[in-house]
C-alpha cells in the first residue's frame, strides 16, 4: 500500500528531526567517548601510581598448591625482616621454563628465579645467571654447608651460579604390606646396608605378582616400567655403565655400551615377563602408579622425595607400611649409584633490583627458609645441618633412609651437558622400540647413540 | 581535472616522501649504533664497578681504566652522571658505596662518525627527485607522479639502507673490539693491583678463559665451549705483541698509559683479534694468561632487521604517495580514499600488531637459528627449510597429520546423518542435539583426560568392557597400530555435533517445495537425498570440509594430553612436533620454518579444494 501525503509529510519531518539530531547525537557520543577515555587514563594512572613505596622483588618458581603457600610463608618472613620490600611470587607449576624464557627474551626477567638442574648449562653458558661467589660471605652462605654433589652442580670453578634450594635422590619406595603378604619382607635390604642386586629385586617382584580375584588379570605387580631416562639412568650406573663418555662429549660406546645394555635388558625383561603393568608411552609414565602402589597393587615404586607427601597421610593413618630402599645394582657392582636432581636460586645479571635480589637469594637458601620449606616434605634441604635436623625429628625413619642414599649418588648429566633434553627425548626410543616392535636393544641403542653424536656434533 | 591547489602539493609529495624514507633509514642506522655505544658504556660501567670493588681497586683504578669519562659520586647521588652507570660496593657488602657513571665512548673521528656513502646516495637521489619536481612545475605538460620516479625513490632508499648497514656494521665491529680490549685492560689493572687471576678475570664482566684450561672446553663455563675451542685453536693464543695497546683505540684519548706497577706485573695487553664460533664473531683480547671475549655487537645489535623494516616502511610510504598522486585528477575519489584510510587505521594497526607483525616475525625467525635466550639470532638463510626437507621425523609428523585428517569425511558423513535424523522440534530431538553438540564446546584438555582413562589398557572402562564382552583387549593408546586411530575416533566424537548443527542450518535453507515436488514426481528418500539434499548442501559441505581439514591439521590438545606423540612417534602430528621443537628443544628457527611449511601444505590443500569446486562448477 502506498503512503498518503500526510504520511509523507510526517516521515519528512521525522527525517529532518533525525538529521538535525545527528550532530547533537554525534557530539554527545564524542563527549561520552572522551569521558570514557579520560576515565580510563585516570584509572590507568592511578593503577600505575598506586604501588606501595619501596622495592618489589619478583621471584619466578614452579611451586603449586601447598608448596606455594609455604613459599609464601618464607617470603612473608623476608618481608617482615625488610620493611618496604615486597616479594611477589610468580609461580608457574606448568610451563615454568616457557614462562621464564619468555620473560628473559622479552627483556623483563624476574629478580630471582628457581634454576632446575637440567637447565644449569643453558642458563650459565648464556650468561643468564649471575656469579654469586663474590657475595657468599656477605650472605653468610658457606659452600661446605650444603651436600657436596648439590653444591657442585651449581659451581663452575670458583664461580657459584645459584644458591642450592633442595634436592632429591631417586629411590625405591617399598610397600611392606605387599611384601609381607607375599611372605618376603625379609628380602628388603636394611639401610644403610650396601643394597641388593637385580636378582634379589627380580625375585621379590616375581613373588608378589598375583591375580587376587581370579579373573585372569594380574592385580598385584612388582614394579612399573621406568620408561624415561631420568628414571632408568641409575640402573645403567648401577651396572657400571654410563650413557655418555666422561666429560659428556660422546654417546656411542656408552649409551650402547655393555653396562647400559645390561640395564635395558633387565628393565625390559621385567615388563616382558609381566612383572610390571603395560608401559605407558608418555613422559609422565603410568598415571595410576602411585595410587596402585598405595593401594597394594604394586610392591616397588621408583621416585624421588617429591612423592613422599602423597603417602604421608596414609602412613600416619597406618594404611601404608612404607620403606625407602636403594635402587638394586648389578651383581658386578658393590652398590647402586642413584641420580640426584636439585634446584637453586639464581639471579639474572640484568635483574632490575640486583643487590636486593642477591640478598633475597641468600635468605631463600638460608637455614631459616629451608626449615620453613621442609614442612612441604617435597625435597631434602640442600643444607646438611637442616637436613639432619629434619631427619632427626622424623619418627618414621624415612628421612634418615633418604639421607643414607645421598652419599653414593651422582648429579644428573643434565647439570653438565647443554641441551640434555634432546638426549632424553631420543633415549626413550631404545626400550620403546624393544617393547613396541620387539627390536634388538643393542641395535636400537647403537642407532640412538649415533643419532645423538650426529646431532651434537660429537 | 587537476586541482590547482592540490597539484603542487602532490608534486612535492614525491620529494617529501623520499626525504622522509631516507631520514627514517639513516635515523634507524644511527639509532642502532648509539644504542650499542650506550651498551658498551654500560659494560664499562660494570667493569669499573667491579674494579672499584677489587682489593687494591678504588677510584684510582677506575680512572686508570676510563680516564675522564668516569664520574664517581657517593651512592646517594645515584642517577646523576654523564651516561650509563653502576653501583660499586665494598667487598662482599650488599649496600652500595659509590655510583660510577660512564660517558659513552666518543666516535673515532669526524668522518667515521657519519655514514658518508649512505648520505651521498641519499642526497643524490633526493637531488634527482627534487629536480624532477621543479622541472615539472615549469614544464608545459603535467604528467602524474610517474612509476619511474617511484622506482627511483625505492632504489635510492634500498641503496642508502645497504650503505648505512655496512657503515653501522663496521662501527659496531670497532666498538666490539674496543670493549673487549677495555675488559682485558680492566683485568690488567686488577692483576697489577695484586688480584688473584680468577678474581682479576671477573673484573672484565665479560666471558673469559685462562690458558691453563683452554684445552678442556667443557670446564670453561663463562663462555660457550665452542668459543673456548676457537680461542684454543687460534694462532693468536701464543702470540704476544708489544704493540698490543695500539689496537685499543676506544679510550686512547682519556686513559693513561699503564703504570710502572702494571708494567712490573708483566701483564701486557694483546691486540684484540676475532674468532668464529657458533656462527658468530667473538672479539678476544688478552692480558697475561687470561682471554676476555665479547660476542660482537655487529651481531647482538645488528641493524639488518631494523634497516630492512625501515626500508620496507619507506617503500610503503613511496607506494602510498604514488597511489595518492595518481588519484590527483579525481579529487572526490582522493578525498574518499583518504577518509577510508583514516577509518581503516585503527583496525589495520591491530592487524599489523597482532597478526601481520607476528607472522612476518616468524618468517624472519625461520631464517635464523634462535634459542630464545640467545643474545641474537644467527642468520642461516634457508638452511632451516633445507634441513626440513630431509628431516624424517618432520615428514613422519606431516604424514601422521594427513592420516589424522582422514577422519574428516567420516565425521561429516556421520554428522550429516545425525543432522537429518535429529531435525524437528520434539523435546527428545532437542536433547539429542544438545548431547551431540556438548563435546564441541567442552575443553579439549578435559575431554582428553577422560578419554585417556577410558582407553587405559589396565583400568579403562572401554578395555574392560570389551574384555567382558569376550572381544579381547585393544591397546588403544599403547600400540603404534591403534593409537592414531584412537585419536581419530575421539576427533570424530568431538566435531560431529558442531558439524551437525551447521548441516541443519544448511538443510533449513533448502526450500520445502523441492521435496514436495520430488515426492509428487515419485522420488524416494534416497533419490531426494541424492538429488535435492546433497546439491542443496553443496556450499555447506564445502565450508565444513575446508574448515575441518584446516582444524585437523592444527590438532594439538588431544596429542599433548593423551599420547605426547607416542608410541614411537605414531601420533606425532605437525603442530605437536612444532611445539616440542620450540619449547622443549628451544629451536625456534626450526619450529618457525616448520610452521611455514605447514602453512604451505594447508594452503595448498585448501586451494586444491577450491580448484576442484570451480572445475565442478564449470562442468555444470
Amino acid at each position: 500500500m502506498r503512503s498518503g501525503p500526510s504520511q509523507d509529510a510526517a516521515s519528512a519531518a521525522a527525517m529532518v528531526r533525525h538529521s538535525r539530531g545527528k550532530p547533537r547525537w554525534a557530539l554527545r557520543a564524542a563527549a561520552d567517548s572522551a569521558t570514557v577515555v579520560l576515565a580510563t587514563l585516570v584509572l590507568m594512572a592511578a593503577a600505575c601510581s598506586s604501588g606501595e613505596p619501596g622495592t618489589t622483588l619478583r621471584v619466578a618458581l614452579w611451586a603449586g598448591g601447598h608448596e606455594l603457600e609455604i613459599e609464601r610463608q618464607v617470603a612473608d618472613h623476608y618481608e617482615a625482616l625488610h620493611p618496604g620490600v615486597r616479594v611477589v611470587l610468580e609461580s608457574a607449576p606448568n610451563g615454568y621454563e616457557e614462562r621464564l624464557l619468555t620473560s628473559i627474551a622479552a627483556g623483563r626477567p624476574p629478580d630471582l628465579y628457581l634454576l632446575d638442574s637440567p637447565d644449569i648449562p643453558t642458563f650459565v653458558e648464556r650468561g643468564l645467571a649471575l656469579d654469586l661467589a663474590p657475595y657468599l660471605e656477605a650472605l653468610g652462605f658457606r659452600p661446605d654447608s650444603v651436600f657436596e654433589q648439590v653444591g657442585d652442580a651449581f659451581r663452575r670453578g670458583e664461580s657459584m651460579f645459584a644458591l642450592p634450594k633442595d634436592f632429591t635422590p631417586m629411590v625405591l619406595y617399598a610397600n611392606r604390606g605387599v611384601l609381607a603378604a607375599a611372605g618376603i619382607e625379609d628380602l628388603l635390604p636394611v639401610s644403610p646396608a650396601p643394597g641388593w642386586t637385580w636378582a634379589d629385586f627380580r625375585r621379590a617382584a616375581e613373588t608378589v605378582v598375583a591375580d587376587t580375584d581370579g579373573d585372569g588379570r594380574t592385580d598385584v605387580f612388582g614394579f612399573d616400567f621406568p620408561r624415561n631416562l631420568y628414571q632408568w639412568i641409575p640402573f645403567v650406573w648401577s651396572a657400571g655403565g654410563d650413557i655418555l663418555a666422561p666429560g659428556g662429549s660422546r654417546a656411542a660406546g656408552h649409551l650402547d655400551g655393555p653396562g647400559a645394555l645390561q640395564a635395558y635388558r633387565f628393565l625390559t625383561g621385567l615388563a616382558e615377563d609381566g612383572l610390571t603393568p603395560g608401559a605407558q608411552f608418555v613422559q609422565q609414565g603410568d598415571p595410576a602408579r602411585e595410587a596402585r602402589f598405595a593401594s597394594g597393587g604394586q610392591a616397588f615404586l621408583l621416585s624421588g622425595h617429591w612423592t613422599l607427601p602423597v603417602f604421608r597421610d596414609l602412613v600416619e593413618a597406618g594404611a601404608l607400611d612404607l620403606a625407602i630402599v636403594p635402587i638394586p645394582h648389578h651383581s658386578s657392582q658393590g652398590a647402586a649409584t642413584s641420580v640426584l636432581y636439585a634446584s637453586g636460586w639464581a639471579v639474572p645479571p640484568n635483574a632490575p633490583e640486583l643487590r636486593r635480589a642477591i640478598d633475597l637469594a641468600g635468605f631463600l637458601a638460608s637455614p631459616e627458609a629451608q626449615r620453613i620449606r621442609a614442612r612441604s616434605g617435597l625435597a631434602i634441604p640442600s643444607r646438611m645441618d637442616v637436613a639432619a635436623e629434619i631427619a632427626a625429628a622424623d619418627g618414621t625413619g624415612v628421612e634418615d633412609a633418604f639421607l643414607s642414599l645421598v652419599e653414593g649418588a651422582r648429579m644428573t648429566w643434565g647439570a653438565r651437558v647443554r641441551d640434555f633434553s634432546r638426549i632424553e627425548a631420543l633415549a626413550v626410543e631404545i626400550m620403546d622400540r624393544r617393547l613396541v616392535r620387539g627390536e634388538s636393544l643393542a641395535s636400537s641403542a647403537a642407532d640412538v647413540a649415533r643419532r645423538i653424536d650426529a646431532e651434537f656434533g660429537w | 581535472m587537476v586541482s590547482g591547489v592540490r597539484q603542487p602539493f602532490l608534486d612535492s609529495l614525491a620529494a617529501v616522501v623520499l626525504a622522509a624514507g631516507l631520514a627514517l633509514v639513516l635515523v634507524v642506522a644511527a639509532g642502532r649504533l648509539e644504542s650499542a655505544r650506550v651498551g658498551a658504556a654500560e659494560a664499562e660501567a660494570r667493569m669499573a664497578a667491579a674494579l672499584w670493588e677489587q682489593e687494591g681497586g678504588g677510584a684510582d683504578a677506575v680512572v686508570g681504566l676510563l680516564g675522564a669519562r668516569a664520574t664517581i659520586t657517593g651512592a646517594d647521588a645515584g642517577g646523576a652522571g654523564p651516561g650509563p652507570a653502576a653501583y660499586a660496593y665494598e667487598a662482599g657488602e650488599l649496600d652500595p658505596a659509590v655510583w660510577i657513571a660512564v660517558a659513552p665512548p666518543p666516535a673515532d673521528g669526524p668522518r667515521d662518525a657519519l655514514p658518508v656513502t649512505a648520505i651521498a646516495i641519499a642526497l643524490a637521489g633526493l637531488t634527482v627527485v627534487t629536480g624532477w619536481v621543479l622541472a615539472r612545475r615549469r614544464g608545459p605538460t603535467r604528467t602524474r607522479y610517474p612509476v619511474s620516479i617511484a622506482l627511483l625513490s625505492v632504489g635510492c632508499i634500498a641503496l642508502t639502507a645497504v650503505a648505512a648497514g655496512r657503515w653501522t656494521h663496521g662501527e659496531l665491529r670497532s666498538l666490539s673490539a674496543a670493549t673487549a680490549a677495555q675488559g682485558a685492560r680492566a683485568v690488567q689493572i686488577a692483576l697489577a693491583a695484586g688480584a688473584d687471576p680468577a678474581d682479576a678475570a671477573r673484573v672484565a664482566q665479560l666471558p673469559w678463559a685462562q690458558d691453563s684450561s683452554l684445552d678442556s672446553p667443557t670446564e670453561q663455563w663463562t663462555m660457550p665451549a665452542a668459543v673456548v675451542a676457537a680461542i684454543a685453536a687460534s694462532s693468536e693464543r701464543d702470540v704476544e705483541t708489544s704493540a698490543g695497546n695500539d689496537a685499543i683505540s676506544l679510550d686512547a684519548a682519556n686513559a693513561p698509559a699503564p703504570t710502572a706497577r702494571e708494567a712490573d706485573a708483566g701483564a701486557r695487553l694483546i691486540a684484540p683479534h676475532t674468532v668464529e664460533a657458533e656462527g658468530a664473531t667473538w672479539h678476544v683480547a688478552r692480558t697475561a694468561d687470561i682471554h676476555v671475549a665479547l660476542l660482537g655487537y655487529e651481531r647482538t645489535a645488528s641493524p639488518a632487521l631494523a634497516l630492512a623494516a625501515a626500508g620496507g616502511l619507506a617503500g610503503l610510504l613511496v607506494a602510498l604517495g604514488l597511489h595518492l598522486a595518481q588519484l590527483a585528477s579525481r579529487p572526490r575519489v582522493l578525498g574518499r580514499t583518504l577518509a577510508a584510510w583514516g577509518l581503516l587505521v585503527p583496525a589495520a594497526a591491530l592487524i599489523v600488531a597482532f597478526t601481520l607483525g607476528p607472522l612476518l616475525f616468524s618468517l624472519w625467525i625461520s631464517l635464523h637459528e634462535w634459542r630464545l635466550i640467545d643474545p641474537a639470532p644467527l642468520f642461516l638463510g634457508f638452511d632451516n627449510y633445507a634441513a626440513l626437507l630431509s628431516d624424517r621425523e618432520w615428514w613422519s609428523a606431516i604424514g601422521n597429520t594427513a592420516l589424522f585428517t582422514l577422519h574428516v569425511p567420516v565425521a561429516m558423513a556421520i554428522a550429516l546423518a545425525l543432522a537429518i535424523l535429529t531435525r524437528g522440534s520434539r523435546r527428545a530431538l532437542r536433547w539429542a542435539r544438545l548431547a551431540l553438540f556438548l563435546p564441541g564446546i567442552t575443553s579439549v584438555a578435559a575431554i582428553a583426560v577422560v578419554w585417556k582413562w577410558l582407553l587405559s589398557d589396565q583400568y579403562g572402562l572401554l578395555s574392560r568392557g570389551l574384555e567382558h564382552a569376550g572381544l579381547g583387549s585393544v591397546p588403544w593408546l599403547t600400540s603404534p597400530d591403534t593409537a592414531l586411530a584412537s585419536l581419530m575416533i575421539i576427533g570424530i566424537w568431538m566435531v560431529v555435533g558442531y558439524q551437525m548443527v551447521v548441516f541443519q542450518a544448511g538443510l533449513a535453507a533448502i526450500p520445502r517445495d523441492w521435496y514436495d515436488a520430488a515426492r509428487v514426481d515419485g522420488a524416494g528418500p534416497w533419490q531426494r537425498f541424492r538429488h535435492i539434499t546433497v546439491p542443496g548442501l553443496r556450499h555447506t559441505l564445502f565450508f565444513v570440509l575446508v574448515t575441518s581439514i584446516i582444524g585437523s591439521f592444527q590438532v594439538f590438545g588431544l596429542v599433548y594430553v593423551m599420547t605426547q606423540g607416542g608410541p614411537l612417534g605414531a601420533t606425532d602430528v605437525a603442530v605437536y612436533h612444532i611445539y616440542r621443537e620450540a619449547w622443549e628443544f628451544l629451536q625456534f628457527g626450526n619450529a618457525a620454518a616448520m610452521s611455514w611449511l605447514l602453512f604451505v601444505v594447508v594452503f595448498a590443500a585448501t586451494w586444491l579444494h577450491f580448484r576442484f569446486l570451480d572445475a565442478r562448477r564449470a562442468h555444470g
Side-chain angles (χ1 to χ4, degrees):
Chain A
M1 193 179 92
R2 285 175 63 87
S3 58
S6 60
Q7 277 174 313
D8 285 343
S11 58
M15 281 174 70
V16 170
R17 273 201 304 277
H18 183 64
S19 62
R20 278 181 188 163
K22 223 173 185 179
R24 286 185 195 161
W25 171 84
L27 276 176
R28 273 204 305 275
D32 289 349
S33 304
T35 310
V36 169
V37 170
L38 200 64
T40 309
L41 289 174
V42 168
L43 281 174
M44 285 169 69
C48 290
S49 63
S50 65
E52 293 165 21
T55 307
T56 297
L57 296 172
R58 293 164 47 233
V59 181
L61 69 169
W62 59 72
H66 183 53
E67 188 189 4
L68 185 58
E69 285 171 24
I70 287 179
E71 290 298 345
R72 187 63 253 171
Q73 290 172 22
V74 176
D76 289 345
H77 209 75
Y78 183 80
E79 287 177 349
L81 292 170
H82 299 82
V85 176
R86 194 164 72 96
V87 179
V88 176
L89 300 180
E90 296 182 346
S91 189
N94 296 313
Y96 170 75
E97 200 183 18
E98 293 160 21
R99 188 166 163 174
L100 178 63
L101 292 174
T102 310
S103 70
I104 290 170
R108 196 173 174 270
D111 293 280
L112 192 67
Y113 63 91
L114 201 50
L115 181 61
D116 199 8
S117 38
D119 294 330
I120 295 171
T122 301
F123 279 73
V124 170
E125 274 195 27
R126 298 284 153 184
L128 299 172
L130 185 76
D131 177 8
L132 297 169
Y135 313 103
L136 296 184
E137 198 178 324
L139 294 171
F141 182 90
R142 281 196 4 254
D144 60 357
S145 66
V146 300
F147 287 90
E148 189 182 354
Q149 307 100 306
V150 180
D152 284 349
F154 299 102
R155 197 178 294 130
R156 301 290 182 265
E158 298 294 315
S159 301
M160 187 87 178
F161 291 99
L163 300 182
K165 173 181 173 258
D166 48 25
F167 74 103
T168 180
M170 290 295 278
V171 300
L172 272 186
Y173 287 72
N175 186 330
R176 276 211 195 95
V178 173
L179 298 174
I184 53 165
E185 198 178 2
D186 56 340
L187 264 183
L188 282 184
V190 180
S191 180
W196 54 336
T197 64
W198 288 355
D200 298 331
F201 177 76
R202 186 179 165 100
R203 200 174 333 121
E206 282 171 343
T207 311
V208 298
V209 166
D211 171 13
T212 53
D213 57 9
D215 66 351
R217 289 172 67 109
T218 302
D219 298 302
V220 181
F221 293 93
F223 195 37
D224 65 280
F225 179 67
R227 175 181 180 255
N228 296 299
L229 189 153
Y230 81 91
Q231 295 168 308
W232 55 249
I233 193 168
F235 288 89
V236 175
W237 289 342
S238 302
D242 207 335
I243 58 164
L244 299 177
S249 56
R250 189 167 180 79
H254 300 272
L255 190 69
D256 54 349
L261 287 174
Q262 279 172 334
Y264 307 147
R265 284 191 194 108
F266 172 67
L267 294 171
T268 51
L270 295 176
E272 286 168 339
D273 295 342
L275 306 183
T276 71
Q280 301 293 307
F281 301 99
V282 289
Q283 199 179 357
Q284 295 90 337
D286 186 345
R289 59 200 292 265
E290 286 163 3
R292 188 169 53 234
F293 173 81
S295 61
Q298 183 173 322
F300 299 104
L301 180 78
L302 178 68
S303 193
H305 202 284
W306 63 79
T307 304
L308 202 52
V310 178
F311 299 139
R312 197 174 289 279
D313 288 347
L314 291 170
V315 172
E316 284 169 6
L320 176 63
D321 188 2
L322 192 68
I324 302 298
V325 294
I327 287 164
H329 58 84
H330 188 261
S331 54
S332 64
Q333 305 296 309
T337 304
S338 190
V339 60
L340 295 176
Y341 297 99
S343 62
W345 299 106
V347 177
N350 57 341
E353 296 285 345
L354 191 68
R355 296 292 168 146
R356 291 279 185 202
I358 295 169
D359 188 50
L360 177 58
F363 178 79
L364 294 179
S366 69
E368 199 173 1
Q370 296 207 358
R371 279 187 199 102
I372 299 173
R373 192 176 293 122
R375 290 176 206 153
S376 75
L378 284 166
I380 302 173
S382 62
R383 289 184 62 105
M384 289 184 285
D385 53 351
V386 179
E389 278 174 33
I390 303 297
D394 173 40
T396 64
V398 165
E399 298 292 348
D400 256 337
F402 263 99
L403 288 186
S404 70
L405 298 175
V406 172
E407 196 179 335
R410 279 174 61 179
M411 187 54 66
T412 168
W413 268 116
R416 292 277 156 185
V417 177
R418 199 174 86 174
D419 295 335
F420 193 66
S421 60
R422 197 87 189 185
I423 295 177
E424 288 184 307
L426 286 169
V428 292
E429 264 191 35
I430 298 171
M431 288 193 277
D432 280 7
R433 280 159 71 168
R434 168 74 188 185
L435 294 178
V436 173
R437 292 191 196 137
E439 287 183 32
S440 145
L441 285 166
S443 65
S444 51
D447 176 49
V448 170
R450 183 189 50 76
R451 281 160 59 197
I452 289 173
D453 284 344
E455 207 161 304
F456 281 73
W458 289 339
Chain B
M1 199 182 90
V2 177
S3 156
V5 179
R6 285 197 183 96
Q7 188 62 51
F9 167 72
L10 290 170
D11 282 346
S12 309
L13 202 57
V16 171
V17 161
L18 177 59
L22 292 170
L24 183 65
V25 165
L26 292 173
V27 163
V28 164
R32 295 299 285 182
L33 181 59
E34 184 54 27
S35 131
R37 288 177 70 238
V38 171
E42 281 171 358
E44 287 182 303
R46 286 196 297 273
M47 289 173 202
L51 202 50
W52 195 94
E53 291 168 17
Q54 197 68 37
E55 198 174 337
D60 287 348
V62 173
V63 172
L65 178 70
L66 294 167
R69 286 172 48 219
T71 305
I72 304 173
T73 53
D76 295 343
Y87 282 116
Y89 297 75
E90 297 293 352
E93 294 295 324
L94 289 173
D95 291 324
V98 295
W99 172 261
I100 303 172
V102 178
D108 281 347
R111 191 185 176 282
D112 288 348
L114 289 172
V116 177
T117 314
I119 291 173
I121 294 170
L123 286 177
L126 208 53
T127 306
V128 171
V129 173
T130 309
W132 171 79
V133 171
L134 293 175
R136 223 168 99 68
R137 284 193 179 177
R138 290 177 192 151
T141 55
R142 286 183 171 180
T143 55
R144 289 180 297 177
Y145 184 0
V147 173
S148 58
I149 288 296
L151 288 177
L152 176 70
S153 302
V154 170
C156 180
I157 288 169
L159 280 177
T160 306
V162 170
R166 287 175 64 85
W167 168 76
T168 315
H169 187 266
E171 290 295 301
L172 290 173
R173 275 182 75 89
S174 304
L175 190 63
S176 306
T179 308
Q182 279 291 76
R185 187 170 169 72
V187 176
Q188 183 191 38
I189 294 171
L191 283 172
D196 167 70
D199 289 339
R202 274 204 207 103
V203 169
Q205 300 285 300
L206 293 173
W208 60 273
Q210 263 183 291
D211 263 347
S212 55
S213 48
L214 279 184
D215 296 326
S216 53
T218 54
E219 293 305 311
Q220 295 290 340
W221 288 94
T222 64
M223 66 176 79
V227 182
V228 181
I231 293 173
S234 161
S235 57
E236 300 288 339
R237 175 184 174 180
D238 300 316
V239 175
E240 284 201 8
T241 60
S242 56
N245 286 337
D246 295 346
I248 305 166
S249 56
L250 177 72
D251 198 27
N254 295 316
T259 62
R261 201 173 158 201
E262 287 168 17
D264 288 346
R268 285 182 297 163
L269 281 181
I270 306 301
H273 65 281
T274 56
V275 296
E276 299 294 323
E278 295 192 325
T281 302
W282 289 70
H283 297 261
V284 184
R286 176 184 168 189
T287 185
D289 68 338
I290 295 166
H291 303 258
V292 174
L294 171 79
L295 177 56
Y297 291 128
E298 65 270 25
R299 179 171 167 200
T300 56
S302 168
L305 182 63
L307 281 173
L313 190 61
L316 277 178
L317 274 177
V318 170
L320 187 63
L322 177 66
H323 177 58
L324 293 178
Q326 285 180 338
L327 293 176
S329 58
R330 290 178 290 166
R332 288 186 65 186
V333 177
L334 179 64
R336 281 207 300 269
T337 304
L338 283 173
W341 276 107
L343 291 168
L344 278 174
V345 162
L350 286 176
I351 289 171
V352 167
F354 297 109
T355 305
L356 194 60
L359 209 63
L360 292 176
F361 183 65
S362 78
L363 184 62
W364 181 77
I365 285 296
S366 74
L367 304 177
H368 293 75
E369 181 185 332
W370 191 43
R371 296 162 52 86
L372 198 63
I373 50 173
D374 287 339
L378 169 66
F379 183 71
L380 295 177
F382 289 96
D383 285 4
N384 284 332
Y385 291 94
L388 283 184
L389 294 179
S390 57
D391 183 345
R392 277 188 314 160
E393 289 179 9
W394 164 247
W395 289 110
S396 163
I398 288 284
N400 288 337
T401 312
L403 271 179
F404 181 80
T405 301
L406 293 180
H407 84 275
V408 170
V410 180
M412 284 175 67
I414 296 171
L416 184 55
L418 288 171
I420 293 167
L421 291 173
T422 60
R423 285 176 83 186
S425 56
R426 275 182 297 167
R427 183 183 291 264
L429 291 176
R430 287 208 300 266
W431 280 107
R433 287 200 293 268
L434 177 67
L436 288 165
F437 190 65
L438 271 177
I441 54 168
T442 307
S443 149
V444 175
I447 286 174
V449 169
V450 170
W451 274 101
K452 190 174 175 177
W453 280 104
L454 282 173
L455 300 179
S456 160
D457 293 354
Q458 190 71 25
Y459 307 104
L461 195 64
L462 213 53
S463 301
R464 286 296 180 107
L466 287 176
E467 274 184 44
H468 280 298
L471 296 173
S473 173
V474 178
W476 296 102
L477 300 174
T478 52
S479 163
D481 302 328
T482 51
L484 190 65
S486 302
L487 294 186
M488 289 165 73
I489 291 169
I490 301 167
I492 291 171
W493 178 77
M494 282 172 67
V495 299
V496 93
Y498 164 76
Q499 292 181 353
M500 176 196 73
V501 170
V502 176
F503 284 140
Q504 283 187 337
L507 288 171
I510 300 174
R512 198 79 219 152
D513 301 354
W514 295 4
Y515 289 102
D516 293 341
R519 212 172 272 121
V520 169
D521 289 346
W526 170 247
Q527 285 168 312
R528 291 199 296 274
F529 175 76
R530 167 81 179 77
H531 297 289
I532 298 177
T533 305
V534 172
L537 280 178
R538 194 178 59 219
H539 293 294
T540 312
L541 284 166
F542 183 69
F543 165 77
V544 171
L545 183 68
V546 170
T547 54
S548 300
I549 285 178
I550 291 173
S552 70
F553 264 92
Q554 294 172 339
V555 63
F556 173 76
L558 280 182
V559 175
Y560 180 71
V561 177
M562 294 183 71
T563 60
Q564 294 176 355
L568 287 178
T571 60
D572 186 18
V573 291
V575 177
Y576 180 72
H577 196 85
I578 292 169
Y579 168 81
R580 284 191 84 193
E581 197 68 16
W583 290 109
E584 199 171 321
F585 308 132
L586 301 180
Q587 299 295 335
F588 282 81
N590 267 350
M594 288 171 181
S595 303
W596 277 91
L597 277 185
L598 180 64
F599 164 76
V600 169
V601 170
V602 174
F603 181 83
T606 311
W607 182 76
L608 283 174
H609 278 118
F610 274 102
R611 294 283 297 179
F612 178 67
L613 194 75
D614 286 348
R616 288 202 60 173
R617 217 178 268 151
H619 289 92

